[in-house]
Amino acid sequence: MGNVCFRSNMLLQPNEIIIGSNGNNFMDYQLIDKKSGVYKIDRRTGKIKKHFGDEVIGDMDVNGILEWNDRLYITNDNEEIMCTTMEGNLIWSKPASGDIEHEPVLIKGKNETYIVYATETGEVKAIRPTDGSTIWSYYTADFKGWKPEDNRMIFKIRSYFSNTYSFYTKPVLTDLNKDGVNDLVYVSYSGEVYAINGHNGQLLWHNKKYRVFTLEKSTLIKDNNTLYAIGFPETENAYMDMGLRLMRVHPNGKYDVLHKISNELSTSLNFYFHKNEIVMNTTDHLVVIKKDNTMDSVNRQLMITKYYNFNNDGASLFSNTYLENRNHDDMLFGNRSFTYKNHGECIINLVQTDRLNYEKGFIEIIALETKQIVERLQLPNTSEMQPRIGDINKDGRLDLLINCKDGYLYCYDLGVKG
């Protein structure tokens, strides 16, 4: 079915999985990549039942799918949003100002319910689900995309040869101004944080003082209506000391620094909440922020020993032994915890690439009470899909569903009751 990215979502229907695909490559046209689009897959057998949303011309990579009122709302890299029936029959399609790289969200407004998405060119837009008509739009100051009065063909040609990176990830929804309508908090590719009024699309605030560290990666989280961010201060030496902070974000955009986490890179693409604890990754450690605001760090290094010999005319000059961490960047926790064997509540952590074997990734099963790694299991290939835990094939047992970069979707039996 092609490749899935870390921003992709999936819908678990009574008998099917509905999931988008980036195809064989993450930037291409449908003429040369037939795998892009949306797939309906039988939950019990894994058989592909239908493939749609894959027009003949365009970059049909799909990351986001929203279901509402028996309709699917599909966003893609062809600068459009589509509405289809649950069977994939097109109802309407509307042009967008740029590629839409994330799942659209649903906002219950004061008078109507609408869909909001953001483009990588710098527009946040609210539309009506019935026909895709515009309710409101917000444009960043550096917006470089298409507007309805522009020539669409010139934009399409230019956009294929340029990279624009304003909005990449799904927003956090929270009612910042207490007007009864959820507002949208986005992290831009450059790490800036935008808060957009969900009622009228006006900018509530825009913060550069602390930048969310990992560019397009999701590093903004919400717990009990409190926002947290991982970032670094906008200062000259911020990169030098790698002074990553955990920050509490107030409704007005101000920040409280709770912790300096580590001198390592933060590579959590998501976080996990466990009994009022925030659990996150760095490259080498599992970091736990406790409910009393104290912090623990558990070493989760998996090491490689490498030997370097420098030879000249057969003579060994010297040899040096050193250790390298097998954990690569950009770890992803699974969608939920589960009871595993005799280890109590556990969570799956995806390491996208194994430095010992760059053609493979692996998962870690981590016991949440002891913060210890119970098992490490190799995957058939590298992966960047968030591990999905659930009774996928409806046999009463929990499974792991994951896509790998060999283009296959895999379902594994975890061996425990669902």
Side-chain angles (χ1 to χ4, degrees):
M1 61 153 288
N3 294 302
V4 170
C5 85
F6 75 91
R7 300 180 307 279
S8 302
N9 71 303
M10 56 167 281
L11 306 175
L12 207 58
Q13 302 296 300
N15 296 306
E16 295 138 351
I17 300 162
I18 301 178
I19 187 169
S21 171
N22 283 261
N24 293 321
N25 300 289
F26 284 92
M27 186 176 181
D28 49 50
Y29 273 122
Q30 192 66 18
L31 288 170
I32 59 174
D33 189 352
K34 303 296 184 183
K35 293 291 187 182
S36 303
V38 180
Y39 288 81
K40 290 186 75 171
I41 298 170
D42 189 290
R43 285 180 57 172
R44 290 181 173 87
T45 66
K47 180 181 178 181
I48 295 172
K49 299 176 71 172
K50 192 160 187 180
H51 178 204
F52 60 95
D54 54 336
E55 293 101 315
V56 175
I57 298 176
D59 186 357
M60 304 310 301
D61 292 353
V62 171
N63 291 317
I65 308 172
L66 172 70
E67 178 193 359
W68 191 66
N69 274 4
D70 293 324
R71 295 288 184 265
L72 299 176
Y73 299 88
I74 302 161
T75 54
N76 62 29
D77 281 0
N78 200 34
E79 298 97 17
E80 66 181 330
I81 180 168
M82 299 184 293
C83 173
T84 74
T85 67
M86 295 301 293
E87 294 303 313
N89 300 316
L90 185 66
I91 298 173
W92 55 256
S93 174
K94 294 291 182 180
S97 62
D99 292 351
I100 309 169
E101 299 287 354
H102 65 276
E103 171 192 356
V105 296
L106 204 65
I107 297 286
K108 293 184 178 180
K110 295 180 179 179
N111 301 311
E112 59 183 328
T113 299
Y114 41 90
I115 293 168
V116 180
Y117 64 85
T119 66
E120 64 177 24
T121 53
E123 180 188 15
V124 181
K125 190 168 189 174
I127 61 172
R128 293 181 177 87
T130 51
D131 58 6
S133 58
T134 301
I135 296 173
W136 55 253
S137 282
Y138 167 77
Y139 296 97
T140 60
D142 59 350
F143 173 78
K144 297 177 182 177
W146 174 81
K147 291 186 177 180
E149 63 270 19
D150 297 337
N151 185 300
R152 183 74 177 170
M153 185 58 66
I154 292 175
F155 161 73
K156 292 280 287 183
I157 295 171
R158 185 178 67 242
S159 67
Y160 187 72
F161 295 99
S162 64
N163 291 317
T164 49
Y165 300 111
S166 282
F167 298 117
Y168 252 60
T169 52
K170 182 180 176 181
V172 172
L173 301 181
T174 186
D175 188 3
L176 295 170
N177 56 7
K178 306 301 181 186
D179 66 350
V181 178
N182 271 335
D183 305 304
L184 305 107
V185 186
Y186 284 94
V187 178
S188 74
Y189 188 89
S190 61
E192 300 172 26
V193 183
Y194 292 81
I196 310 298
N197 188 313
H199 171 62
N200 56 26
Q202 295 180 359
L203 181 69
L204 293 173
W205 48 262
H206 170 210
N207 202 308
K208 293 183 178 180
K209 181 180 177 182
Y210 279 90
R211 285 182 178 262
V212 174
F213 188 77
T214 48
L215 298 179
E216 83 276 17
K217 300 154 191 173
S218 180
T219 47
L220 190 69
I221 54 173
K222 175 185 173 183
D223 182 42
N224 295 326
N225 294 319
T226 301
L227 291 177
Y228 298 92
I230 300 295
F232 67 95
E234 184 86 319
T235 59
E236 185 176 345
N237 65 344
Y239 273 112
M240 298 300 294
D241 67 8
M242 302 303 289
L244 290 164
R245 276 74 163 172
L246 172 68
M247 297 165 288
R248 180 169 48 230
V249 185
H250 293 279
N252 61 1
K254 302 295 184 182
Y255 288 80
D256 287 337
V257 177
L258 301 180
H259 287 285
K260 179 176 179 180
I261 297 170
S262 165
N263 289 330
E264 304 169 47
L265 279 172
S266 169
T267 55
S268 278
L269 293 188
N270 60 354
F271 299 75
Y272 194 78
F273 291 102
H274 173 66
K275 296 182 178 179
N276 296 318
E277 296 178 342
I278 298 174
V279 183
M280 59 167 288
N281 282 300
T282 66
T283 302
D284 297 341
H285 292 83
L286 193 73
V287 176
V288 182
I289 313 296
K290 298 182 178 181
K291 59 184 178 181
D292 61 1
N293 207 29
T294 58
M295 183 174 70
D296 280 347
S297 181
V298 180
N299 192 318
R300 44 175 293 279
Q301 290 175 314
L302 180 63
M303 308 304 292
I304 316 167
T305 303
K306 286 191 174 181
Y307 299 89
Y308 281 82
N309 293 294
F310 299 87
N311 296 300
N312 183 13
D313 297 328
S316 178
L317 299 179
F318 64 91
S319 73
N320 182 34
T321 302
Y322 79 102
L323 295 175
E324 181 182 346
N325 194 348
R326 287 177 63 174
N327 299 324
H328 206 274
D329 297 342
D330 304 343
M331 267 71 78
L332 265 167
F333 290 118
N335 63 304
R336 52 161 284 188
S337 62
F338 58 99
T339 302
Y340 187 69
K341 297 183 178 178
N342 297 319
H343 300 283
E345 194 175 357
C346 294
I347 189 70
I348 282 179
N349 184 40
L350 168 68
V351 180
Q352 294 190 25
T353 304
D354 185 347
R355 289 184 187 272
L356 184 62
N357 183 351
Y358 277 84
E359 295 180 352
K360 306 287 184 181
F362 61 91
I363 61 167
E364 301 170 327
I365 299 178
I366 299 173
L368 287 171
E369 295 303 322
T370 61
K371 307 300 186 296
Q372 299 301 309
I373 295 174
V374 174
E375 288 182 2
R376 286 187 175 98
L377 303 169
Q378 188 182 74
L379 295 171
N381 207 289
T382 58
S383 172
E384 64 170 275
M385 174 184 168
Q386 181 186 17
R388 181 68 179 254
I389 298 113
D391 183 6
I392 303 300
N393 66 347
K394 303 180 71 171
D395 66 351
R397 294 155 67 89
L398 287 181
D399 308 304
L400 164 66
L401 189 74
I402 193 161
N403 172 274
C404 289
K405 289 187 178 178
D406 57 4
Y408 283 86
L409 186 67
Y410 293 90
C411 184
Y412 294 99
D413 189 339
L414 287 172
V416 296
K417 291 183 178 180

